[in-house]
């Protein structure tokens, strides 16, 4: 029997809108591509989410991948907390699931600097029963350790839980760890799959 719904944040409860931020900062064409490869599409982004490296070490890593774009990297890092915009439905969706009797948790890869420096906290966090962000435990999805940390923090049994994430690799990992899993494409699609699990009416 499913008792817990576990949500990712980016592209599930909030728009990971790095492209829009790049455009706002004036990164276009070749600059856009080099900056993306050095930052959000590069290897240091996962380490940013992991939280084991300092901000300076992360920025130096970005520099190493795009040494001609140090000025743009600095500008990007100044605005890094502006990348994610909460979806209008997010808090209401969490509330509706809790009203159905399910516990709702948040499990997300997210860098400390961008998470803690948001102008306004995500409203859905206050609606959920709990959350765990990657930098808190120095582990990122799809690693077993981050799922295990959530289980230990909130006494969650994987076989009683469904995990919703937009990335197939994270959902497949959760399934391997004993969870039910839904690869998120839209709220309507996810709710249809939840219905199949008898989670919502």
């Amino acid at each position: 029997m499913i008792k817990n719904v576990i949500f990712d944040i980016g592209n599930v409860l909030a728009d990971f809108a790095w492209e829009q931020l790049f455009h706002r900062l004036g990164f276009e064409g070749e600059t856009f591509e080099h900056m993306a490869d050095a930052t959000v599409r590069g290897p240091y982004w996962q380490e940013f989410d992991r939280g084991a490296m300092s901000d300076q070490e992360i920025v130096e890593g970005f520099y190493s991948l795009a040494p001609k774009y140090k000025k743009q990297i600095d500008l990007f890092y100044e605005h890094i907390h502006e990348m994610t915009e909460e979806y209008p439905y997010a808090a209401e969706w969490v509330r509706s699931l809790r009203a159905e009797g399910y516990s709702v948790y948040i499990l997300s890869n997210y860098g400390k600097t961008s998470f803690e420096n948001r102008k306004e906290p995500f409203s859905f966090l206050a609606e959920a029963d709990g959350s765990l962000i990657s930098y808190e435990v120095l582990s990122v999805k799809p690693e077993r350790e981050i799922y295990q940390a959530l289980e230990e923090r909130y006494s969650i049994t994987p076989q009683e839980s469904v995990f919703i994430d937009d990335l197939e690799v994270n959902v497949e990992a959760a399934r391997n760890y004993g969870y039910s899993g839904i690869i998120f494409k839209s709220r309507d699609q996810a709710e249809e799959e939840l219905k199949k699990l008898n989670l919502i009416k």
Side-chain angles (χ1 to χ4, degrees):
M1 178 180 177
I2 298 294
K3 297 180 180 179
N4 310 302
V5 181
I6 302 165
F7 282 109
D8 175 38
I9 293 178
N11 297 327
V12 178
L13 297 178
D15 185 9
F16 179 44
W18 65 267
E19 298 99 329
Q20 290 91 322
L21 176 60
F22 273 29
H23 291 312
R24 290 202 307 274
L25 297 178
F27 304 159
E28 305 293 346
E30 188 173 292
T31 298
F32 183 102
E33 296 301 326
H34 282 296
M35 283 293 298
D37 288 342
T39 59
V40 296
R41 295 197 302 230
Y44 288 99
W45 193 252
Q46 185 177 68
E47 297 312 309
F48 176 64
D49 286 345
R50 187 185 303 279
M53 297 174 68
S54 69
D55 282 10
Q56 186 57 43
E57 289 173 320
I58 294 296
V59 170
E60 291 290 343
F62 293 163
Y63 288 166
S64 73
L65 297 174
K68 296 181 180 179
Y69 294 90
K70 290 185 178 181
K71 181 178 178 181
Q72 290 89 344
I73 289 169
D74 289 343
L75 180 62
F76 165 66
Y77 216 76
E78 288 175 15
H79 294 268
I80 201 166
H81 57 284
E82 300 173 14
M83 271 192 305
T84 311
E85 294 294 332
E86 181 173 341
Y87 290 135
Y89 62 74
E92 181 275 324
W93 195 8
V94 173
R95 280 196 303 272
S96 69
L97 285 168
R98 293 190 70 208
E100 291 284 338
Y102 297 92
S103 297
V104 179
Y105 301 95
I106 309 300
L107 180 66
S108 184
N109 290 353
Y110 214 122
K112 181 177 182 178
T113 296
S114 54
F115 187 82
E116 293 188 346
N117 292 338
R118 287 180 53 80
K119 291 182 180 178
E120 295 182 7
F122 291 120
S123 66
F124 54 78
L125 291 175
E127 303 290 345
D129 292 278
S131 65
L132 189 148
I133 309 301
S134 56
Y135 71 83
E136 299 174 339
V137 293
L138 308 182
S139 180
V140 294
K141 296 174 295 181
E143 296 167 356
R144 178 68 183 105
E145 289 80 3
I146 190 171
Y147 299 83
Q148 190 170 22
L150 183 76
E151 294 157 21
E152 292 174 354
R153 180 177 290 187
Y154 297 110
S155 299
I156 289 171
T157 300
Q159 289 75 17
E160 297 176 344
S161 309
V162 58
F163 178 61
I164 303 174
D165 195 301
D166 65 308
L167 296 181
E168 182 176 359
V169 63
N170 294 337
V171 174
E172 285 303 317
R175 289 171 177 161
N176 289 337
Y177 306 145
Y179 296 81
S180 297
I182 293 173
I183 301 170
F184 181 88
K185 301 183 186 305
S186 70
R187 178 179 176 177
D188 287 345
Q189 164 263 335
E191 286 187 333
E192 284 302 311
E193 296 197 39
L194 287 172
K195 287 177 183 176
K196 294 175 184 177
L197 293 171
N198 296 318
L199 282 175
I200 59 177
K201 298 176 182 178

